[in-house]
Amino acid sequence: MTQKNTAPIARIATLAAASALTLAAGTAGAATIAYVSNADSRDIYVLQLNADGSVNLVDKVDTGSTVMPLALSPDHKFLYASLRGQPYSVVSYAIDPSSGKLKALSKAPLADNMANIATDRSGRYLFGASYTGHRISVNAIGADGTVQAPPLAVIPTGKNAHSAQVSPDNRFLFASNLGSDVILQYRFDAAGGTVAPNTPPSVATKAGAGPRHFLFSNDRRFVYSTNELDGTVNTYGYDAQAGALTLQASDSALPEGFKSNEQLATADLHLTPDGRFLYASERTSNTLTGYRVDGASGKLARVFNIPTETQPRGFNIDPQGRFLLAVGQKGGLTSYAIDRDSGALHPLFSYTLGRNPNWVEIIDLP
């Protein structure tokens, strides 16, 4: 890993330091660790995130195959990595609580090439969403933290399943289908890992939108979803009792006046820990967009759009809400300080990682 010491980055770092009083303080004695998967160099970088927003390389883990989506167990004791080269599989890693280093525990086959993986809220099940296979899967996770095979269920979906995750109360499962312009809604029984269609079984987006990644608001009243193909972020009202979404609004994730002959490619999204700001990445314009979240209505108000790493597929925010780390599939990693008052992002440091960095997970060690 090398730092890209450009003059603009150095100047911005100095400016950001001037507004440090609006940034959250770090947790004394606790180390913050970021995991970045690099698809084409087939490795996972283990990085320590420092109090100034810089990172140090702790370890580099060879995966032996194309590695893309990552998922953490709810207790942050395990990391799961989906390998998208045949045979499709998932590696279960134990996280060293003192260093954040990874120890491979097992490698288990998956039902397909998974674009996204996630655990349920108990950490007992792993969900996979296959873009090319048009289906989702459920695998049990053993008491030792390892993914078990064969899968408990493989469920056909509409076209291009892109992500799957459970509701905060672990009672419902949702799966975005990019090619069918729907988010599927299921009932989930954590006692046995069973999945059944909910009523209604889906919620539609605008035709051609292409729903991709989604997340729940902290108060569990709203769901936000990126739409890959039309460059937008949808806001849904969420009925936690019924496990049902209702589309409320759609907001642009593109720079003002942006036009391109290329297909749009909105990708990832994350909320700050306090739920006040939402960020989304768009790979055709190579930008990050920040929104202020209205706590009462869930409405988004765009506050900025800034250039970032080339083809920003993934990014994440540290648990304290101090920094955002963004990676570009044709670039590297840039760390940003998050202004706690305005939500503005201040670029701090830029690094070259492995080839095709695409996914970021961040935790605080105990």
Side-chain angles (χ1 to χ4, degrees):
M1 182 183 74
T2 58
Q3 183 172 347
K4 297 181 283 187
N5 291 310
T6 62
I9 290 292
R11 286 197 296 269
I12 292 169
T14 302
L15 293 174
S19 62
L21 291 178
T22 65
L23 306 178
T27 302
T32 300
I33 300 294
Y35 300 96
V36 178
S37 60
N38 300 287
D40 293 343
S41 53
R42 301 181 175 186
D43 50 37
I44 299 171
Y45 275 42
V46 182
L47 306 171
Q48 179 167 312
L49 177 59
N50 302 313
D52 63 354
S54 64
V55 300
N56 299 118
L57 182 63
V58 174
D59 201 6
K60 185 169 68 172
V61 179
D62 181 14
T63 62
S65 183
T66 301
V67 57
M68 296 190 78
L70 304 175
L72 288 163
S73 63
D75 60 9
H76 295 170
K77 292 182 178 180
F78 305 98
L79 180 78
Y80 304 102
S82 175
L83 304 185
R84 301 188 69 179
Q86 292 187 335
Y88 306 127
S89 58
V90 58
V91 180
S92 303
Y93 294 97
I95 297 174
D96 184 283
S98 61
S99 67
K101 290 184 177 181
L102 301 176
K103 178 184 177 182
L105 299 176
S106 71
K107 184 177 180 180
L110 288 177
D112 215 313
N113 182 351
M114 299 302 178
N116 181 275
I117 55 173
T119 72
D120 79 319
R121 303 292 174 171
S122 73
R124 294 173 54 213
Y125 302 98
L126 183 82
F127 305 103
S130 176
Y131 183 92
T132 55
H134 319 295
R135 49 185 174 169
I136 60 173
S137 64
V138 185
N139 286 69
I141 296 175
D144 62 353
T146 62
V147 177
Q148 308 295 298
L152 300 174
V154 179
I155 304 164
T157 65
K159 189 177 181 182
N160 306 132
H162 215 307
S163 61
Q165 64 173 293
V166 290
S167 58
D169 62 7
N170 220 36
R171 296 173 55 227
F172 302 99
L173 174 69
F174 300 85
S176 61
N177 279 215
L178 183 146
S180 298
D181 294 319
V182 298
I183 297 178
L184 299 177
Q185 305 182 140
Y186 300 95
R187 297 188 301 276
F188 174 63
D189 182 358
T194 57
V195 174
N198 200 5
T199 303
S202 67
V203 59
T205 66
K206 178 183 176 182
R212 181 183 169 90
H213 289 180
F214 58 93
L215 52 78
F216 290 81
S217 64
N218 293 355
D219 61 9
R220 308 183 181 189
R221 296 172 54 223
F222 306 100
V223 168
Y224 301 99
S225 172
T226 52
N227 292 311
E228 179 170 336
L229 305 182
D230 72 354
T232 62
V233 174
N234 277 1
T235 301
Y236 297 88
Y238 178 56
D239 183 336
Q241 190 63 34
L245 304 175
T246 302
L247 181 60
Q248 293 187 343
S250 188
D251 293 274
S252 176
L254 297 169
E256 200 69 38
F258 178 78
K259 297 184 185 300
S260 175
N261 294 325
E262 299 178 48
Q263 175 62 61
L264 298 177
T266 312
D268 208 5
L269 80 169
H270 292 281
L271 280 163
T272 53
D274 61 11
R276 295 176 59 225
F277 300 100
L278 177 78
Y279 303 94
S281 63
E282 203 288 315
R283 290 169 289 174
T284 305
S285 60
N286 303 313
T287 58
L288 291 169
T289 297
Y291 308 86
R292 186 181 297 274
V293 180
D294 184 281
S297 67
K299 289 183 178 179
L300 302 179
R302 185 161 72 166
V303 291
F304 68 85
N305 177 278
I306 61 170
T308 188
E309 294 284 344
T310 305
Q311 208 166 296
R313 184 185 180 99
F315 68 94
N316 220 319
I317 297 167
D318 81 284
Q320 306 304 316
R322 303 162 299 170
F323 304 109
L324 183 151
L325 302 183
V327 295
Q329 290 184 275
K330 296 182 178 180
L333 178 149
T334 295
S335 69
Y336 299 85
I338 301 174
D339 188 296
R340 295 293 292 272
D341 295 328
S342 68
L345 298 180
H346 303 288
L348 297 174
F349 300 95
S350 186
Y351 300 88
T352 299
L353 303 181
R355 299 191 306 277
N356 191 356
N358 64 89
W359 201 278
V360 184
E361 296 287 351
I362 310 176
I363 61 170
D364 284 336
L365 295 181

